[in-house]
Every structure is written in structure tokens, then in C-alpha cells.
Amino acid sequence: MGEDNINLPPGFRFYPTDEELILHFLYRKAAHQPCHPNIIPDLDLDCYDPWELNGKALEAENKWYFFSHVTQNRASTNGYWKMLGVDEPILSGSRTVGLKKCLVFYIGEAPEGIKTNWVMHEFHLLDCGATGSSRSSRRKAKPRMVSNEWVLCRVSETNCSSQGSCCDEESELSCLDEVFLSLDDLDEISLPN
């Protein structure tokens, strides 16, 4: 479902903000309202590894977008998605309209999987009772997210070492940093003055 299938005039690109993803796409999907153009497909997150999304999800700017149902077990045949950090509130003006969760894909079985550079932002709507931006509103909304709700997912492959950190997780070392730190006798290295 690459950009060739999007029915937009030449020169237009799909580059929505987090707020636009919540209000113009996810809200309409959850409310069973039509979305024009209807370009984001529904996918079962458990059926695909992140590198298999090409041609199945909407691709724009090296990111893949799709709708999925909320699941507790975010695992595929080759790995699993591990949640990182805390949920980030998505604001529209001063009102909290949704939450963004950050996940990283690990190859293998939990908890001993091997971390990859695949990152997913999972966007959630808040329920009707959580319209304010206060901390208590967000706490009320989380338990009321049920398994049949829709989420909007944005998946990308990042280069953590060049961007500092992924999803506020500790940054990884570059290959040169790892080689440098693996040297046993750092005192014997003479650096130019």
C-alpha cells in the first residue's frame, strides 16, 4: 500500500502531527465515521514483523501507518514489542485528546530478546470521561481502555546512535564507541595535544 496508491494530487505528502493522527484519523475510525481519503489500512499487529509492513501499511517518509486493535500481547512469530517509558499525552489546545505509547521491537522471546532499531508509536484515544488535561483524567482513562478499541500505529526504523536516544530510553553506543571502550589499556593511548 505504498504512496502510489494514495489518491492525492501530485506534490502532497502524508506527514500528520500526533494531534492530527488522533483527531482526524483515530477518532473517526473509533466512531465508525468515514475518513476521506481512507488511506490507513487495518492490520493485525500479531501477524507481522516490522520489516514485513512494506506493501501492507501506508508508507510515508519511511514510516508505516496502520490501525490495529488494542492487545496486551504485542508479539509476532519472530519477536515482541516492549513498551518503554511513560505514556505521552497528546494535546489539542489545552485539552488532552489521546496518549502516545513508545515501543521497541525485540527479536526472540521475552524477556531475553535482542533489541532492534524498530520503534512503534501507538496512539490511543481517551474515553469520554477523560477530556481534561489533568493528571487524574489520564489515570481515569487508562483502566477504561478495552481490548476491542482501535489504536493507530506508526512504525519506523531508527538509528539510535545518531539520534541520541529512542523513546527516551538510554542511548546506545556507536560501533566506534564500543571499539574504543573495549580497549583494555586506555592509559597507553597517547592523544595529540
Side-chain angles (χ1 to χ4, degrees):
M1 168 147 217
E3 287 188 40
D4 298 336
N5 296 337
I6 299 174
N7 206 8
L8 296 175
F12 283 83
R13 63 189 176 120
F14 189 74
Y15 195 73
T17 64
D18 293 351
E19 178 186 4
E20 291 168 339
L21 287 172
I22 294 283
L23 295 178
H24 298 288
F25 294 97
L26 185 54
Y27 176 79
R28 295 179 82 61
K29 178 73 170 178
H32 303 288
Q33 296 177 347
C35 185
H36 299 291
N38 187 14
I39 57 175
I40 301 176
D42 302 344
L43 293 178
D44 184 358
L45 185 58
D46 298 340
C47 293
Y48 301 102
D49 292 317
W51 52 87
E52 296 175 321
L53 293 174
N54 196 23
K56 295 167 184 66
L58 169 65
E59 182 182 358
E61 305 282 325
N62 291 324
K63 297 176 183 166
W64 289 267
Y65 297 84
F66 59 94
F67 291 110
S68 186
H69 285 286
V70 175
T71 60
Q72 294 298 328
N73 181 18
R74 297 174 182 94
S76 69
T77 54
N78 293 310
Y80 61 96
W81 291 96
K82 179 181 176 185
M83 197 170 317
L84 301 174
V86 293
D87 299 347
E88 179 184 331
I90 305 298
L91 302 174
S92 180
S94 62
R95 188 172 64 122
T96 302
V97 294
L99 296 173
K100 178 169 68 170
K101 297 176 183 287
C102 184
L103 301 99
V104 171
F105 190 76
Y106 284 74
I107 296 174
E109 293 186 25
E112 283 87 31
I114 299 167
K115 182 180 175 190
T116 69
N117 287 339
W118 288 97
V119 175
M120 177 169 62
H121 291 123
E122 194 176 75
F123 295 90
H124 294 256
L125 286 176
L126 292 182
D127 63 358
C128 297
T131 57
S133 60
S134 70
R135 178 174 238 170
S136 62
S137 295
R138 279 180 274 166
R139 269 192 300 229
K140 284 183 201 171
K142 189 169 184 176
R144 288 193 252 182
M145 288 189 216
V146 293
S147 63
N148 64 356
E149 288 184 322
W150 287 102
V151 293
L152 196 156
C153 301
R154 176 177 61 206
V155 175
S156 61
E157 186 175 21
T158 62
N159 184 354
C160 293
S161 60
S162 69
Q163 293 178 355
S165 66
C166 295
C167 302
D168 301 325
E169 188 182 58
E170 70 277 355
S171 60
E172 294 184 12
L173 298 174
S174 69
C175 293
L176 290 175
D177 290 336
E178 289 179 12
V179 169
F180 182 73
L181 291 174
S182 69
L183 297 173
D184 292 331
D185 298 313
L186 294 178
D187 296 336
E188 294 178 10
I189 297 174
S190 61
L191 298 174
N193 292 334

